[in-house]
Amino acid sequence: MSGTVTGVFGDVNVQAAQAVCRGATMSSSLLQSLCRDKTLLSHVSLSEEYQANDDLFRVILKQLINHVQSLSLNGCYWLTGSTLDYLACCRVVTHLDVTGCRLTSVRLSRLLSSLTLLKSLAFDVTAGFNSAQLSSEAVGTLSRLSELRQTLLTPSYGVVPCCAQLRKLMLQFDISDVTRDGVGVSCQLMVGQSSVPHYQQLEEFTARLAPGEVNQTLLLLYLAVFSVHVPKRLRVFLISIPGPNPAHWSAGPSLAQSLGQHGDLEALQLPRSWLDPLSLRRALEGNSPKHLSFSRCPALWPQVFESLLEGGIKDVTQLNSLNLSGINQVLYTECRNVEDHLVPEIMSRLATGYSNIKHLNLMHTHYHHDQPPGLGDETHLCGSLAKFRKLHSLTLPACALLDGLNTPHITANNASPSPVLLGLKKAPRVGIQTYKVGSEGSLSGDTTSGLAQLLAGCHLLQTLEIIGPGFVSALPRLEPCTRASVEPRGMCAWAQGVGDAHLATLEDLPRLRRLTLAGLPGVLRGTGLVQMSRHCKDLKVLSLANLGSLKIMNYFPALLEMLKQCTQLQELRLEQPYLNANASFFEALSSCSHLQRLCLISRKGTFDPSAAENFMERCRRVIMCHMFMGGTLVGCRTLQKALLDRFLVERSALSVVIYPLHHEDLPSVIRDIPLTLLDRITLFQSHVAQPPHLSPL
C-alpha cells in the first residue's frame, strides 16, 4: 500500500522505527515486531493515490477493515460507487473523509448506518441530495458527530440539521448561479429550516465561498442562528467571501466582539464589511490567535497593525499564519505616500514580536523602495521580512523586491503629473505598461540586494509566490475578487524591474518545494529560471504565468532547459498568451518523470497532438492533462478523445480536458472537472496563509 499510514508504536516498535529513520541495520525481531504492529493502520490516507484503481482500493480496504480508525479518500474522484460501499465494512472508523467521491444520499445512508462509531465526516452535497432518504440509523450516527465538513455543490443544508453535537463545522460553497441550460439557480430553502442547525456546542466555524450570489445567500441562511445566539465555546470563525462587495451581515461586528470575550480565540477572518475598528480591537484584545486573515480589508489596515502591535494580544508567540493580502490596496499611480505602502519599520516590529509566524501572505500590496543605499537593512521591506526566521511559505508583491537603484524610468513613470496637465494627460491603456526591449540595462546593477537579505534570513522557505500587483489570470479561482483587484491603469510599473537577476537569486532556497511567478514583464530571456532550477533540486510544484512580453515568449528556450533540470517536479501550471506546445516542449517536459498534473493556458497558443500523445506515453504518472489554448474545437476534442481512449484503462484517475480558452461553453466544461483539481492547479489562486479548513481529519 503506497498511501500515507501513521500509527502509535509500542516501545519495541519505536526502536524499530527509529532504526529505519537512521538507516541503521535492524534485527529480524524488531522488523517482525514492526510488521506485526497493526496500529500502523489506524490512520490511513489514500488521497492522491492516482495509480490505484477500484480493484486495488477494494483489496486495500479489505485489509483495513478491522484496524483503520481514521480514513481519508479526499480527492479520489475516480472511484466508483460500488467501491465506496466497501467502506461500510470498516466498522471501527471514527474519522472519514470522502470529499470529491461519488456519494449519493442513498449510498451515504447505507454507509452511516454501518459506521456507528463515526465522529468526523467530510463529503460532497451534490445535485439530487435528499436528507429524507437517510435512514433512522444514519440519522442516529449523524446526531453523534462532532466534526462535519460539507462541500456544497447545490443549495442545501446537507446533513447539518441532523447533527446536534457538532463542535467543528467546515463548509465550502461551490454552487453556480446558473444551470447548464442557462437558467438561474434558486436558493429558496424552506424558511422554517433557517433555525434548524444546531450550533450550541460549536467551537469552530469555517466557510469558504466561490464567486456567485447563490453562495452568499446560502451562507447567510447558515449564519442566521448566530444573529440570535453565539455559542459560548466558539473560538474559530473563518469566513472567506470573494469579490469587492460581500453580502452585508449586520451581526458581523457584534459577533467579532463576542468572539474575543472569553480569551480563547484561535482563528479569525471576516469580510471587510463585517468588521469595524472597534470590533476588531475587542476581538483580538486578550486573546492568543493562531491564524488571522485580513484579506481585502484596505479600510482597516491602520487598525490591523495597531491591534497587532499595541492591541493587547495575550501571547504573540501563538500566531503562525497571517494573511494581509490587499491590506493596502490602492492604485499604483496614487501610491506615493508612506501611508500607501507597506512600512518596513512596522513590518520589522511585527517580525520581532510575532517571531513564530510560518505563513505570511502580502499579495495585492505595494512597496516601492526609494531610499538611497547605505541606510541599513531595515530601510528595505525585504530586510524587515528577513526577520521572520521561521517562515515556511510567503507571498510577495513583485514591486517589493526592487532596491530602487538604477531605475530612473520607473521613478519617472510614477512621478505625479502637474495639476495643470491632469485634464490633458492621456490615460494609460488597461493591461501591463509598455516594456521597452533593451531597457534591462537600466535595471541592471545591484538591484537584488533586498531579495538577497530576505532569502538569507528566511532560509526555511518551502513555498514562495511572487505576483505582480494587478496580475489577472485567464482562469482565476476567485474571478470577481481578482478582477476587482486589477488596477484600472494597468499593472504596477515597479513590477517591470523584476527580472532574470531576481529569479537567479532564488537559487539560495535549497528547500524550495513550491514556486509561483506571475505577472513579471521584466523577465526577458529566462536565464534566472535555469540558474534557479540547477540549485532547487527538490522543486515539486511550479506555476508560471505572464512572464516577460505577452506578445512573444522570449524565455521559451530557457524554459525547456529548466524543465530538464526539474526531475522531481510533480505539478506544472504554465500560462502564457503565446505558448507553442510543440515537440521540443513535450520532449523537455518528458524529463519530469515524476510529473502527475499538467495545466497549460494560452489564448493564442498551439499544440502538437502527436507530441502530446508521445509525452503521455513516456510520463506514465501523469493523470491530469488540462490544456486551454487556441485552435479549433474539433482539434481539441480529437486530441482529448485520443488521450482518453489510449490511457484511461490503465490510469483510472485520468482527467483530460482540452478546450479552446475563449469558447463560450468553457464554463460548463470547467464545471465538470473534479473540484480537487480545480482548487489545486487549474484555477489560479494563492495557496499561502489560507484558512486551515481543508480537512477535519
Side-chain angles (χ1 to χ4, degrees):
M1 178 170 52
S2 56
T4 302
V5 292
T6 59
V8 180
F9 295 94
D11 293 338
V12 175
N13 290 336
V14 168
Q15 300 174 25
Q18 291 174 342
V20 172
C21 295
R22 293 192 305 265
T25 303
M26 187 175 9
S27 68
S28 59
S29 60
L30 285 178
L31 178 59
Q32 291 175 8
S33 298
L34 184 61
C35 294
R36 288 196 299 266
D37 187 0
K38 297 303 182 181
T39 59
L40 282 170
L41 305 178
S42 60
H43 303 281
V44 178
S45 175
L46 298 173
S47 297
E48 299 181 10
E49 288 300 320
Y50 298 124
Q51 305 305 319
N53 56 22
D54 282 277
D55 292 337
L56 182 55
F57 263 97
R58 292 171 185 174
V59 172
I60 293 173
L61 291 175
K62 288 181 179 179
Q63 298 294 323
L64 298 174
I65 284 178
N66 298 319
H67 310 289
V68 64
Q69 299 174 21
S70 174
L71 177 61
S72 175
L73 301 181
N74 189 312
C76 295
Y77 52 84
W78 64 93
L79 296 181
T80 62
S82 57
T83 297
L84 296 178
D85 287 336
Y86 278 72
L87 295 174
C89 300
C90 303
R91 297 182 180 274
V92 296
V93 165
T94 58
H95 293 67
L96 178 64
D97 187 349
V98 287
T99 302
C101 298
R102 307 170 190 175
L103 203 63
T104 64
S105 50
V106 174
R107 182 163 276 119
L108 177 64
S109 178
R110 291 201 298 264
L111 191 58
L112 294 175
S113 298
S114 300
L115 306 182
T116 57
L117 300 179
L118 201 63
K119 296 297 182 183
S120 175
L121 173 66
F123 77 109
D124 294 349
V125 179
T126 57
F129 180 86
N130 184 0
S131 60
Q133 295 178 325
L134 300 177
S135 66
S136 58
E137 293 83 1
V139 173
T141 299
L142 291 171
S143 68
R144 295 185 292 272
L145 286 185
S146 59
E147 301 179 12
L148 174 66
R149 182 194 173 204
Q150 288 187 159
T151 301
L152 298 159
L153 305 176
T154 189
S156 172
Y157 282 121
V159 299
V160 172
C162 303
C163 304
Q165 299 184 32
L166 284 182
R167 291 187 294 105
K168 299 180 182 180
L169 177 58
M170 292 151 280
L171 303 170
Q172 180 168 338
F173 298 81
D174 233 289
I175 308 164
S176 176
D177 281 342
V178 295
T179 65
R180 299 180 187 278
D181 300 326
V183 180
V185 174
S186 174
C187 193
Q188 295 182 354
L189 297 172
M190 295 178 61
V191 178
Q193 290 185 357
S194 61
S195 60
V196 168
H198 301 276
Y199 297 151
Q200 287 82 355
Q201 301 182 44
L202 204 62
E203 299 176 8
E204 301 183 13
F205 183 90
T206 302
R208 188 181 73 161
L209 280 67
E213 294 295 329
V214 171
N215 293 315
Q216 296 197 38
T217 302
L218 185 57
L219 171 65
L220 294 181
L221 291 176
Y222 273 88
L223 293 176
V225 178
F226 290 107
S227 301
V228 180
H229 172 70
V230 178
K232 294 181 179 180
R233 298 179 181 177
L234 193 62
R235 50 188 170 80
V236 172
F237 198 80
L238 302 168
I239 305 291
S240 176
I241 301 179
N245 300 304
H248 179 67
W249 188 47
S250 58
S254 60
L255 181 137
Q257 294 185 36
S258 64
L259 286 173
Q261 291 178 356
H262 304 289
D264 57 356
L265 178 68
E266 291 188 6
L268 177 66
Q269 178 180 1
L270 291 176
R272 63 169 127 192
S273 61
W274 296 14
L275 271 176
D276 56 46
L278 178 61
S279 61
L280 173 62
R281 180 174 63 83
R282 291 183 176 176
L284 298 182
E285 190 173 10
N287 285 277
S288 306
K290 298 178 181 179
H291 170 85
L292 291 174
S293 176
F294 303 105
S295 177
R296 301 182 294 276
C297 294
L300 288 175
W301 82 284
Q303 288 76 25
V304 166
F305 287 108
E306 181 181 348
S307 296
L308 290 175
L309 297 174
E310 302 171 2
I313 288 185
K314 184 178 180 180
D315 185 359
V316 296
T317 64
Q318 293 297 311
L319 189 65
N320 62 65
S321 176
L322 180 61
N323 192 328
L324 299 176
S325 172
I327 195 68
N328 71 335
Q329 184 181 317
V330 292
L331 299 179
Y332 78 84
T333 50
E334 298 174 359
C335 195
R336 296 187 297 270
N337 302 320
V338 68
E339 291 84 3
D340 299 328
H341 290 204
L342 290 174
V343 183
E345 291 79 10
I346 292 180
M347 296 304 295
S348 179
R349 290 179 58 194
L350 198 65
T352 302
Y354 295 85
S355 58
N356 287 332
I357 287 182
K358 295 181 179 180
H359 314 285
L360 178 63
N361 193 324
L362 298 175
M363 184 179 177
H364 293 314
T365 61
H366 285 279
Y367 172 73
H368 300 165
H369 186 74
D370 55 4
Q371 299 293 326
L375 293 183
D377 293 347
E378 289 189 14
T379 63
H380 197 294
L381 178 66
C382 288
S384 299
L385 296 178
K387 294 184 177 182
F388 288 102
R389 304 289 184 181
K390 297 182 180 181
L391 272 185
H392 287 188
S393 63
L394 173 66
T395 301
L396 279 176
C399 57
L401 303 185
L402 291 187
D403 293 347
L405 305 179
N406 302 322
T407 54
H409 74 289
I410 290 179
T411 304
N413 287 346
N414 263 349
S416 177
S418 168
V420 178
L421 301 177
L422 279 176
L424 301 177
K425 183 180 178 183
K426 182 179 179 181
R429 65 183 178 88
V430 174
I432 66 168
Q433 301 301 300
T434 302
Y435 186 83
K436 298 180 180 179
V437 177
S439 63
E440 189 179 34
S442 65
L443 297 177
S444 62
D446 187 21
T447 63
T448 64
S449 61
L451 178 59
Q453 293 174 34
L454 172 66
L455 302 185
C458 304
H459 61 280
L460 298 179
L461 273 178
Q462 298 181 12
T463 298
L464 179 63
E465 299 177 344
I466 301 175
I467 302 174
F471 164 75
V472 180
S473 171
L475 289 178
R477 180 66 172 109
L478 306 175
E479 183 170 358
C481 164
T482 307
R483 293 195 181 278
S485 300
V486 176
E487 298 170 348
R489 302 177 187 178
M491 291 183 64
C492 173
W494 283 61
Q496 296 181 5
V498 177
D500 288 318
H502 295 85
L503 303 189
T505 307
L506 300 182
E507 68 179 2
D508 294 332
L509 293 176
R511 298 171 181 262
L512 195 62
R513 301 293 186 272
R514 299 178 60 101
L515 176 63
T516 296
L517 303 172
L520 306 179
V523 176
L524 296 181
R525 294 181 295 274
T527 53
L529 292 172
V530 178
Q531 186 169 339
M532 181 271 297
S533 64
R534 288 173 179 167
H535 294 81
C536 301
K537 293 295 187 180
D538 293 326
L539 192 64
K540 297 183 183 300
V541 178
L542 178 63
S543 177
L544 305 177
N546 290 8
L547 303 187
S549 170
L550 300 186
K551 294 184 178 180
I552 185 172
M553 195 171 173
N554 289 322
Y555 73 97
F556 187 73
L559 174 66
L560 301 188
E561 186 175 349
M562 176 193 187
L563 291 175
K564 295 176 183 178
Q565 305 288 335
C566 297
T567 56
Q568 301 301 311
L569 199 65
Q570 297 178 1
E571 177 177 306
L572 174 64
R573 186 186 192 275
L574 182 57
E575 179 175 348
Q576 201 74 23
Y578 289 85
L579 169 63
N580 182 11
N582 54 20
S584 298
F585 172 78
F586 283 111
E587 177 70 21
L589 195 58
S590 298
S591 302
C592 307
S593 57
H594 294 275
L595 194 68
Q596 296 179 337
R597 296 171 292 272
L598 172 67
C599 183
L600 305 179
I601 301 171
S602 180
R603 56 185 171 86
K604 296 291 185 179
T606 59
F607 57 84
D608 183 332
S610 60
E613 195 166 346
N614 291 336
F615 157 73
M616 291 291 288
E617 175 65 33
R618 295 180 62 180
C619 293
R620 308 190 71 84
R621 296 189 182 188
V622 175
I623 55 83
M624 173 192 144
C625 180
H626 293 176
M627 296 168 55
F628 304 99
M629 307 178 74
T632 65
L633 179 60
V634 173
C636 291
R637 284 180 169 173
T638 299
L639 177 57
Q640 177 177 310
K641 184 178 185 301
L643 295 180
L644 288 173
D645 289 347
R646 183 172 177 181
F647 302 109
L648 184 58
V649 174
E650 63 186 46
R651 307 181 201 180
S652 300
L654 186 63
S655 172
V656 176
V657 181
I658 303 174
Y659 212 78
L661 180 59
H662 290 301
H663 196 280
E664 60 182 2
D665 292 333
L666 181 61
S668 297
V669 174
I670 293 290
R671 192 183 303 181
D672 289 333
I673 296 176
L675 187 58
T676 182
L677 298 180
L678 292 179
D679 257 341
R680 185 180 185 105
I681 174 173
T682 306
L683 302 184
F684 184 89
Q685 63 180 325
S686 173
H687 294 276
V688 173
Q690 300 303 323
H693 71 287
L694 294 180
S695 175
L697 295 180

